Amino acid sequence: MHVPDGFINAPTSAVTGVVAAGAIAVSLRGARRELDERTAPLAGLVAAFIFAVQMLNFPVAAGTSGHLLGGALAAILVGPYTGVLCVSVVLLMQGILFADGGLTALGVNITDMAIVTTVVAYALFRGLVKVLPRTRRSVTVASFVAALVSVPAAALAFTFLYWIGGTTDVAIGKVATAMIGVHVLIGIGEAAITALTVGAVIAVRPDLVYGARGLTRKLKLRVNGELVDVPDAEPAAAPTAARSHRKLWIAGLVTSLVLAGFVSFYASADPDGLEKVAADKGIDEKTEEHASAGSPLADYGVEDITDARVSGGLAGVIGVGVTVVAGSAVFWSVRRRRGDDTSPTSVPDRTDTSA
């Protein structure tokens, strides 16, 4: 659903740019409360994983493919504010380096793919986990439903933006029907990827899943006829926890590199949902050339490498590397700001200086 330059007019793009900038500013502040020694390393990895999986287009209908948007996955794993930042980092890297998603349309893409998907998915997810049994399976089920709904919600948001500022004269009803219809199918793939990933992390390190925090009921023991809470277990030693984090991080990074560098070669070559609808309905008549069209990584290939497999795989590996570095830098910076904000303030000198 990467919107290219020329789909949405300049005034609407400017307004969405302001909305996106405001949301990022709010998310930077909110992420300080979400990021800690557990989630800060994971957040950069989540951004890289989303980048990698977005390269894996899967067929959803005749001549149409879809790919992960990632807002639901990021929000559930590392929190909604951090989730907005994760997807925004991915969109920025894709727009600048790979000419995927217009630069003047960056505000549109962040609003649609980062903000709408994250807000809708996490709100629905939180509502579901409150009414479902407090189990790990419930978290996985809630993540499936939340991710499924987030994709057509993003399609509806794009339709609304196109209705306000579309550059071609196309009946909005036809656009809405086509966009929502195909993105419901894409949402099924999004839901499956999100649920499988969340379930896999919960199975290994449930404490690292932001959306699963606070769901475990305290164990009870009957003492002298009364039920009392079992004392919390002692926290793991810091070196052990650090090693555990490192193992998960390395496994996630290797998985992302394999997906982007190898599996992506077998992804569907059909246009994604937005591209297909745009071509069928004439939305793409005024598409502009991407400002980064001359990038050596444009269209997810490395310039001057003729072998498609090697070119695409190397571009994917570079993309994962750049995204994890950029994302980690952002999230560690936010984490450090949290530490500065919560550091003890200086204690006023109360020494009696009276004569």
Side-chain angles (χ1 to χ4, degrees):
M1 203 181 296
H2 294 76
V3 179
D5 297 319
F7 275 27
I8 307 295
N9 62 28
T12 305
S13 296
V15 171
T16 56
V18 173
V19 171
I24 289 174
V26 171
S27 297
L28 285 169
R29 294 184 63 85
R32 296 181 195 175
R33 299 190 297 271
E34 295 173 346
L35 293 171
D36 55 26
E37 67 279 356
R38 295 176 296 174
T39 53
L42 184 62
L45 179 62
V46 168
F49 182 78
I50 290 173
F51 175 91
V53 180
Q54 283 195 1
M55 295 183 66
L56 309 181
N57 282 51
F58 48 84
V60 295
T64 309
S65 69
H67 62 70
L68 182 79
L69 298 185
L73 177 62
I76 295 166
L77 287 180
V78 292
Y81 293 108
T82 308
V84 170
L85 298 178
C86 282
V87 182
S88 297
V89 168
V90 173
L91 293 172
L92 185 62
M93 296 298 102
Q94 290 171 332
I96 293 176
L97 298 178
F98 298 92
D100 189 10
L103 295 184
T104 62
L106 185 59
V108 174
N109 286 318
I110 290 177
T111 300
D112 195 25
M113 296 177 64
I115 301 171
V116 171
T117 59
T118 301
V119 171
V120 170
Y122 196 72
L124 181 56
F125 173 82
R126 293 309 307 176
L128 288 172
V129 295
K130 287 181 179 180
V131 299
L132 292 172
R134 298 165 67 89
T135 64
R136 296 179 184 180
R137 180 174 298 179
S138 295
V139 174
T140 304
V141 171
S143 67
F144 182 95
V145 177
L148 174 62
V149 174
S150 71
V151 178
L156 184 61
F158 167 79
T159 303
F160 176 72
L161 292 175
Y162 182 80
W163 175 59
I164 295 174
T167 55
T168 55
D169 187 16
V170 180
I172 195 64
K174 294 181 179 179
V175 175
T177 301
M179 283 293 293
I180 296 174
V182 71
H183 283 90
V184 166
L185 299 177
I186 295 173
I188 297 173
E190 177 102 10
I193 295 170
T194 300
L196 287 171
T197 305
V198 171
V201 179
I202 285 179
V204 179
R205 288 294 303 273
D207 60 305
L208 293 182
V209 179
Y210 183 89
R213 294 182 182 180
L215 295 179
T216 304
R217 294 184 185 273
K218 282 185 172 293
L219 294 176
K220 301 281 187 177
L221 285 179
R222 189 172 295 278
V223 179
N224 296 327
E226 296 183 0
L227 291 176
V228 297
D229 291 335
V230 175
D232 292 332
E234 291 295 325
T240 301
R243 286 195 296 270
S244 180
H245 288 162
R246 192 177 301 117
K247 288 180 180 179
L248 179 64
W249 195 90
I250 292 173
L253 181 60
V254 170
T255 300
S256 300
L257 290 171
V258 171
L259 292 175
F262 178 73
V263 180
S264 63
F265 182 77
Y266 301 97
S268 173
D270 291 332
D272 65 24
L274 177 59
E275 292 172 334
K276 179 65 173 176
V277 172
D280 289 347
K281 305 301 180 183
I283 296 176
D284 59 354
E285 290 180 0
K286 295 186 179 180
T287 303
E288 300 172 1
E289 184 179 13
H290 200 286
S292 298
S295 168
L297 297 173
D299 297 323
Y300 297 94
V302 178
E303 189 177 21
D304 297 331
I305 296 182
T306 57
D307 187 294
R309 186 190 298 268
V310 175
S311 178
L314 184 57
V317 168
I318 293 172
V320 168
V322 172
T323 304
V324 75
V325 170
S328 297
V330 170
F331 299 124
W332 275 114
S333 175
V334 173
R335 169 65 181 146
R336 290 187 63 182
R337 286 292 301 273
R338 170 179 171 170
D340 294 341
D341 291 345
T342 57
S343 60
T345 57
S346 58
V347 178
D349 186 3
R350 297 187 180 182
T351 304
D352 185 4
T353 58
S354 59

